[in-house]
Amino acid sequence: MQQQLRSEPAVKKRAKTVYAQRNLGTIRERKKEKKQEAQPGNAEIILRILRMRPGTSEFIKQQLDFQASAQAEQEKKATTRRAKASKNRGSKLSPIPPVPALPS
């Protein structure tokens, strides 16, 4: 039995390379991103279910209006934050003094 095992050539496994490891990392990241994009939020799932039921169109309309207004408020806050941040960046930098004239 042992002689049979010794006489058969050993199966060589391919060595793991750095490139393969990098590719696996990027593949995993892409899969995670796709899953996050594909998964709707709980509110979206509930609204999908409610669309199937009769008599819920008014409620769905109210919810969509509320979501739109909330998103608009978030965007407005984000733009004000950006404006404040850019304004603060400009004030932090001290003006460059003029270059003195060369002595003659």
Side-chain angles (χ1 to χ4, degrees), residues 40-99:
N42 288 338
E44 183 65 30
I45 293 172
I46 292 169
L47 288 177
R48 284 183 185 178
I49 294 170
L50 288 174
R51 285 185 191 127
M52 295 179 210
R53 306 193 93 193
T56 57
S57 61
E58 185 64 32
F59 176 75
I60 292 172
K61 183 180 176 186
Q62 288 175 354
Q63 292 299 313
L64 291 175
D65 290 341
F66 176 74
Q67 286 178 352
S69 65
Q71 186 177 4
E73 286 179 25
Q74 287 177 349
E75 289 175 1
K76 188 176 180 181
K77 286 180 183 179
T79 55
T80 56
R81 285 184 198 147
R82 289 184 202 130
K84 286 181 181 178
S86 64
K87 191 175 185 181
N88 289 341
R89 285 185 204 140
S91 64
K92 286 182 183 177
L93 298 175
S94 60
I96 299 173
V99 179

Side-chain angles (χ1 to χ4, degrees), residues 5-58:
L5 292 175
R6 287 182 190 163
S7 64
E8 293 179 15
V11 177
K12 288 188 176 183
K13 290 186 179 180
R14 198 175 220 186
K16 294 182 180 178
T17 64
V18 175
Y19 296 113
Q21 293 295 329
R22 287 185 181 178
N23 289 339
L24 288 176
T26 55
I27 291 169
R28 286 184 191 134
E29 288 176 12
R30 288 181 189 155
K31 282 185 179 180
K32 285 180 185 179
E33 289 173 2
K34 282 185 180 180
K35 282 184 180 180
Q36 289 174 353
E37 290 174 3
Q39 292 178 348
N42 288 338
E44 183 65 30
I45 293 172
I46 292 169
L47 288 177
R48 284 183 185 178
I49 294 170
L50 288 174
R51 285 185 191 127
M52 295 179 210
R53 306 193 93 193
T56 57
S57 61
E58 185 64 32

